[in-house]
Amino acid sequence: MNSAFDPVTIVFLLLAVFVIYRLRSVLGQRTGNEPTRMNRDRPAENGNVIPLAPANEPRGPVQNASPAPDRWKGVAEPDTPLAAGLDAVAGADPGFEPKSFLQGAKAAYEMIVLAFARGDRKALRDLLSKEVFDGFVAAISERESRGETVESTFVSIDKAEVTDAALKGRNAMLTVRFISKIITATKDSSGAVIDGALDKVSDVTDIWTFSHDTGSRDPNWRLVATEAGQ
């Protein structure tokens, strides 16, 4: 009878140990950079929705937070009502970052202005609160009833700054002052320009307020109020 530990058996055992070691080194080690199930399963954002805050940050109040005095540098001066409002928003939504918010707000501003000019109700629906959406749709319908159309072209957004921040209940409210350059003209049913000009750049100032439910898993902000600025 052959020994259970003859040379051939030992060779195969060594090969098996080596293969198991290699498989473990490739498949069995976690680096900490693997995507979580939540991130893998997260659906893509709706093309008509602008996420104005990071979608993968934890939400809920931060306990024992000790914010730095200059945490809002470039956005708000320390010890001002605006800084206090931003503190309140960040306390309810730790994922809030004002500079990222402003980038999203600028994208939303341009998208909303152009969608309103086109009369694109579908594009507007997910970007506006119900009250603002109803107001925009009423204006679009009135314009359409007169046979008028609007052509608008964005030239630039020269400035976008947060002018007010507050937490009302669990709703974060941020007001942004936009200064932009836009070419816009309104045409009647015959195609004649009755307002604005297709060859003139106009300076436009708008003050818009966006809101976000900090208790919701939806990271998106929606426009809840508009006014013309000086």
Side-chain angles (χ1 to χ4, degrees):
M1 180 179 296
N2 292 332
S3 171
F5 295 100
D6 60 40
V8 174
T9 301
I10 292 174
V11 168
F12 278 109
L13 285 173
L14 290 174
L15 285 174
V17 169
F18 176 77
V19 170
I20 292 170
Y21 172 80
R22 292 296 297 164
L23 286 174
R24 183 179 179 187
S25 68
V26 174
L27 302 177
Q29 303 297 316
R30 294 186 62 83
T31 66
N33 295 322
E34 295 83 16
T36 63
R37 179 174 179 83
M38 181 178 292
N39 288 337
R40 292 197 306 269
D41 295 346
R42 183 183 298 280
E45 297 289 350
N46 186 311
N48 291 334
V49 179
I50 305 296
L52 306 188
N56 60 350
E57 295 290 343
R59 300 191 180 276
V62 175
Q63 300 297 326
N64 301 320
S66 180
D70 62 346
R71 69 184 305 200
W72 308 125
K73 185 176 181 180
V75 179
E77 294 296 324
D79 301 319
T80 60
L82 177 56
L86 292 171
D87 285 341
V89 170
D93 183 357
F96 172 71
E97 206 290 311
K99 292 183 179 179
S100 296
F101 167 84
L102 281 172
Q103 290 300 314
K106 288 192 288 186
Y109 176 66
E110 181 172 350
M111 182 180 289
I112 291 169
V113 169
L114 295 180
F116 176 72
R118 296 192 307 268
D120 189 343
R121 296 166 174 81
K122 183 177 179 181
L124 292 171
R125 185 179 299 278
D126 290 328
L127 296 168
L128 314 178
S129 69
K130 183 181 185 306
E131 293 76 10
V132 175
F133 177 76
D134 289 345
F136 274 40
V137 167
I140 291 170
S141 297
E142 184 178 348
R143 187 175 71 206
E144 290 173 343
S145 70
R146 296 193 299 267
E148 297 173 358
T149 57
V150 176
E151 292 186 21
S152 291
T153 302
F154 254 89
V155 177
S156 63
I157 297 178
D158 298 333
K159 189 172 185 179
E161 60 179 347
V162 178
T163 60
D164 189 51
L167 184 67
K168 298 182 178 179
R170 68 181 198 178
N171 292 318
M173 310 284 289
L174 265 70
T175 300
V176 182
R177 183 171 180 260
F178 297 98
I179 300 176
S180 61
K181 288 183 170 62
I182 302 175
I183 299 172
T184 187
T186 301
K187 297 180 179 180
D188 63 16
S189 57
S190 68
V193 174
I194 57 176
D195 188 36
L198 293 173
D199 58 355
K200 179 183 178 182
V201 177
S202 299
D203 294 317
V204 178
T205 300
D206 284 310
I207 299 174
W208 287 12
T209 299
F210 297 89
S211 179
H212 165 58
D213 182 350
T214 62
S216 170
R217 294 180 63 85
D218 181 356
N220 299 296
W221 297 64
R222 286 173 175 78
L223 181 64
V224 297
T226 67
E227 63 177 290
Q230 299 297 323

